[in-house]
Structure formats: structure tokens, C-alpha cells
């Protein structure tokens, strides 16, 4: 028999008020909800899987009264530990609230519940020729509530920006059980503080998002995927300059190093279709204009680029299968590296115009420290957002690896500061980037942040310890 008094009190307070299937109490049933893709994990006190906003409100209100901390949970694909259980908190999973309403064609919006899976929203809106333009490798598992709470990025930020641009209404529930509608999907509503934008990126520390009105765009019509091998980072910059001046819209401009490609090729057991390898690769997705002969313009551009000395090889996908194959090489990197190795991840951003200089210096720093680890470089070149994955060599154990990474991290954060960048470009802060927040924000800024937290959640019970410690 489980004697945890808080657990017994909460179950008693909710007795007869919630259907049985909403509550998981056996530790083996709760365990999968304790962690995320960082592989950090903890044991939830209880897991709730509500089906309605009223149930969310009831759970939060009772937890508040009993002073029990709550972790809101989406698809748990985060890479910063934002949804990880650390001290036996209750987990509130929104996964069973996954309804997607019909698309509002005039308003170009769709109303969804927070547990809707991102890819399901894409498929739903595609039937109307529309798109919620958030595209990330985890789209088949991550949920809209998590996307909003972390202000997710992804591979199309260069074209559409981050998640915060694509929401015009939120329903939230505060810790005391109040249900609040924010902005009601209005395009224009100039009435002071924008609480939606405060909720986006709050990582579930202020209130729980239960529904959202998402803004949509026309589905790109004529997409093309191009793939290049290049000799250096400087060459990527030159290609990017050419692409910026080209007669088409860039939807994605992603890069990765040869070691990343090799890891993915090994895992997928197939080779890239480029004949000549390079130190780096670029996947570029574009949308052709709707005017006459756009393909001819692209062909001319490609011939010109392939003739330049900074490109080793290049191709353009000839079918949707080939397009998916090329995207598979980019989207498979995280998994391919993590499957066989222990990894420490850095999700950095600097001004787009300085990305090459920054990566060069970061790489130099890494090599100068002679760590028993390898550096895998990839990410969103066109957003100034490289991912640095540090991979443990077999010559050291886990403990030594952590020490090596901690040493590197200190220096890396100083470097990021020097370049005026950020140590969390798109993965959020969670548990892993807290030292960066403490270092990057002034005491005055932190005091305001903490005052906002206290205004929403006076007992400090929502996702405690994430982003900052109180
Ligand atoms: C990506 O861009 C994701 O693929 C994951 O943000 C990055 O694994 C990583 O470090
Ligand atoms: Zn990324």
C-alpha cells in the first residue's frame, strides 16, 4: 500500500469528481510520464490525463489547495528537461485533449486542444490547402501545447519565424482553477499587455494551456529541395548569399557536417545521392514563385551556383520520394547520434551574419580543450542557430564526460555572451539551460520575471525549478 500522505489527500479530495480513467496511480503506469527526450526522468506522484478543461481546472485547484506541485506535459519530446519530474510532482498530461476543429477559411485559423499532435494539425489543415507553419523533426509526437509553451522553432523559422507568431487565441487555466480566454482569435486587439505572448515560451510555469487558435498560411505550392556538398563553413555562407539574392523564397536553409552525414548514413543504411563528398552539407528548401517559367529560373541559378568554386557538388530532388530522402538525412541526425553515443547538446544562436565566425571560434575552443569527445555540428544556418552536439568517446566514462562538458560549457557560454548570442535558440531552458539564464539576465530583469511568476502562481507550484529557481 502506498502511504504517501499528499497522494492520499489528493485522491481523497478528487474522489467521485473525476472518472477513474483520468488518474494513473500505479508507479509503473506513471513512469513513462516522468521524463522527456533528454533521457532525464523522475517518478510522478500521480499522472492525470484529463479530457476537458473543467477537469484540468478541478485538478489544478485541488493541487493548489494541497500545495502539490504540477508539471504540465505534452509529447515530452523536449531537449532541455522542461517536462521532467524532479521531486515526485504530479504530471498533468494534455494528450487526451487532442480535438481539432474545422478550419476557419475566412479567418485562416484553426482552434485546437493543447494535446493535438503537430503533424495531425498539418494533415487536417492541408485538406484546405493551409498550413500551421511549424515544422520540426519531432512533429509526429510533439503536441501544440508543448510547441507553444516552449516557443518551438524548427526548420522553417527562416521563412515563418518561431511559434509565437502563429497564435491568436489561448485558453489557459491558472493554478487556482480559473479558466481564462486570451484574445479570442482576434487579429487586432490593442488593449495593453499581451498575455498570450507571456504564455508562449513560459514552459508551463505560469498556467496550463488547454486550447489555442492557430494562425495558418497557404500551403507552399511549388517546393523544391536542393542538396549541396561544400568544402567549408565560409562556402556555406557564400551559397547562402547567393540564395538570398535568388528569385525564390527560402523555406529552409539547413547545414550539417560530414560526421553527421556519416552517422545518419550508417543508421539508415543508405548513402546520399551526391557523388562528391564535402566537409559540410546544405539542405535548402525553396518555394518557386507562381509566375511563368520559375523552374527555368531555378535551373539557371543552379547552373550558376554549381559553376562557382565554393560548391563541390549539388542536386535538386526530382520526386517527392527523393525530397523525403534528403530531408531524412537532416532529420535523422539527432536520433542517429543519440542511438549509439552519449551526447551533450548546445542549441545556440547568434546574428545570422556572424554564424560562420562564431562556429569557427567555438570549434577552435572545443579543439583547444583536448576533450575526449567529438563535436558534431548541424542546424539552422539561415537562422543563425547552430546545434553543437558533444559526443563522448569510449576512452572516458560518463562521469569524466560530464566534467569535460561542464568545463567546455563555461567557456562556451562566455563565447556566446561575447557574440551577443543566446544559449537557447529554440529548445527552451527547462533544467539544462538555467545557468545560462542566470548569467544572461540582469538582476533587475530576473526580479521582474520572478514577480510575473508569482502573480500567476503565488504558491510556486507550476513546473517548479524550470527556467529559474526561486
Ligand atoms: C533539430 O534541429 C532539433 O534537429 C534537435 O532541434 C537538435 O539534437 C539536437 O541537438
Ligand atoms: Zn533545431
Amino acid at each position: 500500500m502506498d502511504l504517501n500522505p499528499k497522494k492520499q489527500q489528493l485522491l481523497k479530495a478528487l474522489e467521485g469528481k473525476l472518472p477513474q480513467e483520468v488518474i494513473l496511480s500505479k508507479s509503473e503506469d506513471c513512469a513513462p510520464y516522468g521524463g522527456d527526450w533528454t533521457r532525464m526522468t523522475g517518478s510522478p506522484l500521480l499522472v492525470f490525463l484529463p479530457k476537458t478543461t473543467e477537469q484540468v481546472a478541478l485538478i489544478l485547484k485541488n493541487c493548489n489547495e494541497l500545495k502539490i506541485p504540477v508539471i504540465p506535459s505534452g509529447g515530452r519530446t523536449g531537449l532541455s528537461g522542461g517536462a521532467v519530474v524532479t521531486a515526485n510532482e504530479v504530471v498533468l498530461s494534455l494528450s487526451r485533449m487532442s480535438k481539432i476543429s474545422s478550419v476557419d477559411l475566412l479567418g485562416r485559423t484553426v482552434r485546437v486542444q493543447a494535446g493535438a499532435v503537430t503533424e495531425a494539425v498539418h494533415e487536417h489543415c492541408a485538406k484546405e490547402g493551409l498550413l500551421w507553419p511549424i515544422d520540426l523533426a519531432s512533429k509526429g509526437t510533439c503536441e501544440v501545447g508543448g510547441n507553444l509553451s516552449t516557443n518551438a522553432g524548427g526548420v522553417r523559422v527562416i521563412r515563418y519565424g518561431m511559434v509565437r507568431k502563429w497564435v491568436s487565441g489561448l485558453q489557459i487555466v491558472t493554478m487556482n482553477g480559473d479558466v481564462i480566454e486570451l484574445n479570442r482569435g482576434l487579429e487586432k486587439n490593442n488593449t495593453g499587455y499581451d498575455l498570450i505572448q507571456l504564455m508562449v515560451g513560459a514552459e508551463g510555469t505560469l498556467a496550463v494551456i488547454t486550447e489555442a487558435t492557430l494562425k495558418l498560411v497557404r500551403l507552399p505550392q511549388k517546393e523544391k529541395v536542393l542538396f549541396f556538398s561544400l568544402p567549408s563553413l565560409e562556402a556555406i555562407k557564400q551559397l547562402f548569399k547567393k540564395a538570398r539574392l535568388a528569385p525564390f523564397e527560402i523555406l529552409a536553409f539547413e547545414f550539417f557536417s560530414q560526421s553527421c552525414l556519416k552517422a545518419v548514413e550508417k543508421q539508415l543504411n543508405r548513402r546520399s545521392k551526391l557523388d562528391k563528398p564535402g566537409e559540410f552539407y546544405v539542405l535548402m528548401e525553396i518555394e518557386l514563385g507562381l509566375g511563368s517559367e520559375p523552374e527555368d529560373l531555378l535551373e539557371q541559378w543552379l547552373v550558376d551556383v554549381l559553376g562557382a568554386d565554393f560548391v563541390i557538388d549539388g542536386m535538386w530532388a526530382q520526386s517527392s520520394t527523393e525530397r523525403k530522402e534528403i530531408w531524412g538525412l537532416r532529420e535523422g541526425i539527432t536520433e542517429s547520434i543519440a542511438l549509439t553515443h552519449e551526447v551533450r547538446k548546445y542549441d545556440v544562436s547568434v546574428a545570422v551574419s556572424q554564424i560562420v565566425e562564431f562556429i569557427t571560434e567555438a570549434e577552435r575552443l572545443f579543439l583547444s580543450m583536448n576533450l575526449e569527445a567529438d563535436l558534431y555540428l548541424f542546424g539552422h544556418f539561415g537562422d543563425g542557430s547552430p546545434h553543437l552536439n558533444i559526443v563522448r568517446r569510449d576512452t572516458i566514462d560518463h562521469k569524466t564526460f560530464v566534467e569535460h562538458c561542464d568545463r567546455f560549457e563555461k567557456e562556451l557560454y562566455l563565447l556566446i555572451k561575447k557574440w551577443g548570442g543566446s544559449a537557447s535558440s529554440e529548445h527552451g531552458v527547462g533544467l539544462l539551460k538555467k545557468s545560462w539564464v542566470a548569467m544572461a539576465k540582469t538582476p533587475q530583469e530576473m526580479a521582474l520575471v520572478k514577480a510575473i511568476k508569482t502573480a500567476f502562481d503565488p504558491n510556486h507550484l507550476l513546473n517548479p525549478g524550470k527556467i529559474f529557481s526561486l
Side-chain angles (χ1 to χ4, degrees), residues 71-120:
I71 300 188
S73 178
R76 291 181 303 287
T77 59
L79 293 168
S80 295
V84 169
V85 170
T86 59
N88 251 197
E89 298 92 341
V90 154
V91 170
L92 178 67
S93 163
L94 279 296
S95 294
R96 286 196 187 151
M97 292 177 61
S98 57
K99 280 195 209 98
I100 307 176
S101 305
S102 47
V103 171
D104 172 354
L105 290 173
L106 285 188
R108 275 206 175 161
T109 58
V110 66
R111 182 80 170 178
V112 306
Q113 286 185 311
V117 170
T118 309
E119 196 165 48

Side-chain angles (χ1 to χ4, degrees), residues 22 48-57 59 73-74 92-100 111-117 121 143-145 171-173 179 208-212:
V22 167
F48 291 98
L49 293 155
K51 291 180 175 164
T52 65
T53 299
E54 291 69 32
Q55 290 176 354
V56 172
I59 295 162
S73 178
L92 178 67
S93 163
L94 279 296
S95 294
R96 286 196 187 151
M97 292 177 61
S98 57
K99 280 195 209 98
I100 307 176
R111 182 80 170 178
V112 306
Q113 286 185 311
V117 170
V121 176
E143 297 172 8
V144 168
Q171 182 189 69
I172 60 168
V173 185
V179 179
V208 175
I209 296 173
T210 40
E211 289 188 20

